Amino acid sequence: MSELVFVGTDEDTAELRKLNAEVLEDTDNFEAWEKLVRAAESLEGGINRNSSPQAIAATRDIYDRFLTKFPLFFGYWKKYADLEFSIAGTEAAEMVGTNNLCGKPCTYSIGKVYERGVASISNSVDLWTNYCSFKTETSHDAEIIRE
């Protein structure tokens, strides 16, 4: 597990660091993870396209770590995809961008989140339904949808 990188208000930073420490202390504590995810989602009044790069990166890191630990929670894959939509919208549905903190390539797109989710929990009808709906709504090429 990693130390959280976030530059925000002292109150936000202190809360995230406290919750992150709880998670690092007991990585199996699902309730602590839930609190950490909720705190990250509420940074700067809620993560969206106007959020700071640091808040977005911290929230993505928390979701990535959470879903690595608990990959079978399909509802959180959907929440993560919704978060990416609130950050970039459909215009970046399949784009692969760069991490705003380190400048390295990253796979933060709605499509990539869904792909990781269905790879982790391939028997989730709900997740596949959401992924297929996303693809049909954002892809204008029938061949891409069929893939």
Side-chain angles (χ1 to χ4, degrees), residues 92-119:
E94 296 293 340
M95 286 176 44
V96 176
T98 54
N99 184 313
N100 290 323
L101 292 180
C102 65
K104 294 179 182 174
C106 62
T107 56
Y108 299 115
S109 73
I110 304 162
K112 294 295 180 193
V113 170
Y114 275 124
E115 288 171 15
R116 288 173 49 211
V118 296

Side-chain angles (χ1 to χ4, degrees), residues 9-119:
T9 67
D10 289 341
E11 185 178 312
D12 285 344
T13 301
E15 180 68 11
L16 277 184
R17 290 193 192 287
K18 175 183 156 268
L19 293 170
N20 192 56
E22 288 178 27
V23 164
L24 292 174
E25 186 176 308
D26 181 6
T27 60
D28 294 326
N29 184 341
F30 182 74
E31 289 80 23
W33 276 106
E34 277 189 314
K35 289 177 187 175
L36 182 60
V37 169
R38 278 194 304 270
E41 290 172 334
S42 65
L43 288 172
E44 299 177 353
I47 299 296
N48 60 52
R49 68 182 65 233
N50 298 318
S51 297
S52 71
Q54 294 85 6
I56 292 170
T59 304
R60 285 174 170 160
D61 176 63
I62 290 166
Y63 262 104
D64 287 340
R65 290 174 30 223
F66 174 78
L67 289 167
T68 297
K69 179 69 179 169
F70 301 104
L72 302 180
F73 285 89
F74 67 88
Y76 281 92
W77 287 107
K78 171 71 169 110
K79 286 177 68 169
Y80 193 6
D82 290 344
L83 174 79
E84 288 300 329
F85 179 80
S86 70
I87 293 169
T90 56
E91 64 272 7
E94 296 293 340
M95 286 176 44
V96 176
T98 54
N99 184 313
N100 290 323
L101 292 180
C102 65
K104 294 179 182 174
C106 62
T107 56
Y108 299 115
S109 73
I110 304 162
K112 294 295 180 193
V113 170
Y114 275 124
E115 288 171 15
R116 288 173 49 211
V118 296

